[in-house]
Amino acid sequence: MTAAREGLPDGRYGRSADQRADRKLKIIGAVLGVALLGVVGWSGFSYITGQDLSGRVITWDAVSDHAVTVHLEVVKGMDDTGVCTLRSQADDGSEVGRKDVTVDQRTDQVDTKITIRTTKRATNAILVGCTPTSRH
């Protein structure tokens, strides 16, 4: 008794269409993956190198019902200037104070204390962001 074989004999007729399609899909996927990694890497590098100013709030203290003091640290290039925007919020999340701080000192790092006037008691102080400006 002989057993009937299903399918074609191995190696006789070359690769099947499914195997060729699988190989093409793997190659296309690898190329697209490498391209995506390249775009993400380039975007991240240009974002990091494009930032002229970076700041952070070190500490803040609500000194009264109408004022908050903020210790702001800004790292920048020696000749760079900019404006950092600080804001303060109340318990309910409403904004109770906002202040733009000009950073034009000729140092790499600026540590400064700022007082933000508020309309009522503040529960935080947040750095919204720092934007570079041109020196005139």
Side-chain angles (χ1 to χ4, degrees), residues 10-120:
D10 291 335
R12 180 176 271 182
Y13 298 104
R15 293 183 178 197
S16 71
D18 288 343
Q19 288 174 330
R20 282 191 296 272
D22 286 347
R23 184 162 190 247
K24 286 180 184 177
L25 286 174
K26 287 178 184 176
I27 291 171
I28 290 170
V31 168
L32 290 176
V34 167
L36 178 64
L37 282 175
V39 168
V40 168
W42 177 77
S43 298
F45 178 75
S46 63
Y47 176 77
I48 290 170
T49 58
Q51 291 210 345
D52 297 326
L53 299 171
S54 65
R56 66 183 181 139
V57 172
I58 304 296
T59 61
W60 64 271
D61 184 29
V63 293
S64 73
D65 287 343
H66 298 288
V68 174
T69 59
V70 180
H71 179 186
L72 176 67
E73 176 187 80
V74 179
V75 178
K76 62 183 192 63
M78 182 75 76
D79 294 327
D80 293 340
T81 62
V83 174
C84 293
T85 303
L86 296 164
R87 84 177 203 178
S88 188
Q89 295 174 305
D91 261 341
D92 61 3
S94 64
E95 185 174 291
V96 294
R98 181 176 282 258
K99 186 165 189 171
D100 290 334
V101 179
T102 301
V103 181
D104 58 1
Q105 295 87 337
R106 294 185 55 89
T107 60
D108 290 345
Q109 182 173 333
V110 177
D111 282 306
T112 185
K113 292 205 178 194
I114 295 108
T115 300
I116 304 172
R117 300 280 176 213
T118 60
T119 56
K120 63 181 181 179

